[in-house]
Amino acid sequence: YITLILSLGVMLISSCRQEEIGDAPQMREVSIVATASDTKTVMQQNAVMWEDGDAIDVVLTGPSSVSVSEFVTSIDGGGPAASAKFVGLLGPEVSLAGGFNDRGFAVYPSGVTGGDGNVRFTLPSVQTPRADGTFAAGLNLSSATVSLGKIESSEKAAARFRNAFSILRFKLSSDVAKLTLTGTAPLAGTPPLKVYYSSDESDGRLVIDASKSWPSSDKSPNVSLLPSGGASHFSDGTVYNLLVLPGSHSSLTLDIT
């Protein structure tokens, strides 16, 4: 009698588990198209481009939770390309019907957004650009507004990314071994960031949050540029890009070694 009850109990538990797994909500694949913009990982003269394998965080806010998902692009030939299609997965709970806000945001590079939806990023005070002069991979922090409504309606969910930092350009000769810029305001470090939404729903960007304190240990008044690949000097005539925090300075000093 006891054995029979135990057997029936095991059968019932197994049946419930199978039904729960079989009816579990599925993740859905969605895409966002990053159109030609004034930001990204690589530069070709004055144009900033996307490369194959670039990844972004897509952040959407619900009534009591935040969804942070990684979206990745695949570009034929590897790129660079002026626009790119990013594909990722969203859970079934991430919907307008579930109380999520229509307007969210995307951030490059991926992995800089915490589970609370806040972005934390450190701009290094020593930067080593690639051989072609482009800033190092993952250094050009940028953001864009995304529409959950357009994602759900299968419309073209476009995202126009904007730079969070400023880009300074230098054409250097082969006798230069190091370049250092020093200002009276922070040029590098880990600033408190927030997403600023303009009146145009297609436009949003990360800015330094002036309302939050910024420890002195998280900021540097100088930033340096070193040759790539361990070289002792820069390549003659190549244009190099240096990323700095935006700000106002009463003076700027440029030291060239």
Side-chain angles (χ1 to χ4, degrees), residues 10 16 18 20 22 30 34 52 56 76 96 106 115 122 139 145 199-201 207 235 255:
V10 171
C16 290
Q18 290 174 4
E20 181 181 345
V30 299
D52 183 48
I56 58 177
D76 292 339
L96 294 177
T122 300
L139 217 58
T145 305
S199 56
D200 179 0
E201 68 172 12
V207 297
S235 299
D255 292 318

Side-chain angles (χ1 to χ4, degrees), residues 70-239:
E70 183 182 69
F71 281 52
V72 182
T73 186
S74 177
I75 301 175
D76 292 339
S83 64
K85 179 181 179 181
F86 285 81
V87 178
L89 298 175
L90 291 180
E93 75 284 355
V94 182
S95 65
L96 294 177
F100 274 72
N101 298 331
D102 178 41
R103 185 160 64 175
F105 66 94
V107 180
Y108 171 86
S110 67
V112 299
T113 312
D116 57 359
N118 292 321
V119 177
R120 184 174 175 84
F121 186 92
T122 300
L123 182 65
S125 59
V126 178
Q127 299 175 25
T128 303
R130 302 191 329 192
D132 59 1
T134 293
F135 22 74
L139 217 58
N140 190 29
L141 181 70
S142 56
S143 63
T145 305
V146 296
S147 170
L148 179 57
K150 289 186 177 181
I151 291 175
E152 290 187 336
S153 63
S154 299
E155 292 182 38
K156 182 180 180 181
R160 186 168 70 93
F161 280 77
R162 303 284 299 277
N163 291 324
F165 304 143
S166 299
I167 301 174
L168 300 180
R169 311 188 72 184
F170 300 91
K171 180 180 284 188
L172 302 177
S173 60
S174 58
D175 59 350
V176 176
K178 182 180 180 181
L179 181 151
T180 300
L181 185 69
T182 303
T184 55
L187 288 170
T190 311
L193 298 168
K194 69 175 181 178
V195 179
Y196 167 77
Y197 293 105
S198 69
S199 56
D200 179 0
E201 68 172 12
S202 66
D203 192 12
R205 63 167 29 180
L206 283 167
V207 297
I208 296 176
D209 190 349
S211 67
K212 292 186 178 180
S213 60
W214 190 357
S216 57
S217 59
D218 286 346
K219 51 190 174 184
S220 171
N222 53 64
V223 61
S224 298
L225 197 64
L226 296 178
S228 62
S232 59
H233 293 77
F234 291 97
S235 299
D236 192 45
T238 299
V239 174

